Amino acid sequence: STSRILSALSSVSTTTPASYLAFETKNTTGSLTERLRIDGSGNLGIGTTTPNWLLQAAGVRPFFTLSDTGAAANQKHWFMSSQGGNFYIGTSSDALATSTISALTILSNSNIGVGTSSPFAKLSVAGNVGADYVNITSASATSTFSTGGLTVGGSQFVVQQTSGNVGIGTTT
């Protein structure tokens, strides 16, 4: 056969017999391989025969993808993925290519990246950041502006990165 749905008792007990429901398909070598299991607790496992949570998917670099078939071209798919201990959320083209940059990345060292898949600090943002108010505090606070300098309130306070000039009420 090419597939099989199997219902089985996993333990025989006079008080609480356990059972599961499994779905198998034929793999590339021709043998049936279990792909999905609902255990006696109602946990659903995809790629695992021992799901520990209500829904658990296991595999090498697994992806969950939500696809909006009514969206415009190359704007239909959002994914979540666990890869090498890191967590990614991003978009994909209609071809489901995985080369797009993640919208959100959480590395195993707890660094978070927005618009970057390789955050170098606790929060790394690739692109402009807009905020009404920013408050950065630290026991050993240091601020570094690597490109473009610093402008506060249009031209109220300006530090030019290239020359080091400071302007109050002027941009030059």
Side-chain angles (χ1 to χ4, degrees), residues 4 13-14 24 44 48-49 82 91 104-105 112 119 126 148 152 168 172:
R4 174 171 60 183
S13 165
T14 56
E24 299 176 339
L44 173 63
T48 178
T49 59
S82 172
T91 61
L104 177 71
T105 299
I112 298 173
V152 177
I168 299 175
T172 56

Side-chain angles (χ1 to χ4, degrees), residues 136-152:
I136 302 171
T137 59
S138 169
S140 59
T142 8
S143 296
T144 304
F145 296 92
S146 60
T147 59
L150 169 68
T151 303
V152 177

Side-chain angles (χ1 to χ4, degrees), residues 2-116:
T2 58
S3 60
R4 174 171 60 183
I5 298 174
L6 171 70
S7 175
L9 285 173
S10 55
S11 71
V12 179
S13 165
T14 56
T15 56
T16 56
S19 64
Y20 64 90
L21 179 63
F23 295 81
E24 299 176 339
T25 60
K26 200 171 268 191
N27 63 22
T28 56
T29 63
S31 60
L32 287 172
T33 301
E34 186 172 317
R35 305 295 183 182
L36 183 137
R37 177 181 289 222
I38 303 171
D39 70 9
S41 301
N43 294 341
L44 173 63
I46 302 170
T48 178
T49 59
T50 56
N52 293 303
W53 297 277
L54 188 58
L55 173 62
Q56 181 178 0
V60 178
R61 301 171 61 110
F63 275 74
F64 284 112
T65 304
L66 296 173
S67 298
D68 177 1
T69 57
N74 293 318
Q75 296 180 356
K76 294 177 178 71
H77 312 288
W78 277 90
F79 68 80
M80 293 186 309
S81 179
S82 172
Q83 300 177 32
N86 302 324
F87 181 70
Y88 303 93
I89 297 175
T91 61
S92 181
S93 67
D94 286 348
L96 298 178
T98 58
S99 60
T100 56
I101 294 176
S102 297
L104 177 71
T105 299
I106 303 173
L107 298 182
S108 58
N109 64 5
S110 299
N111 287 358
I112 298 173
V114 178
T116 178

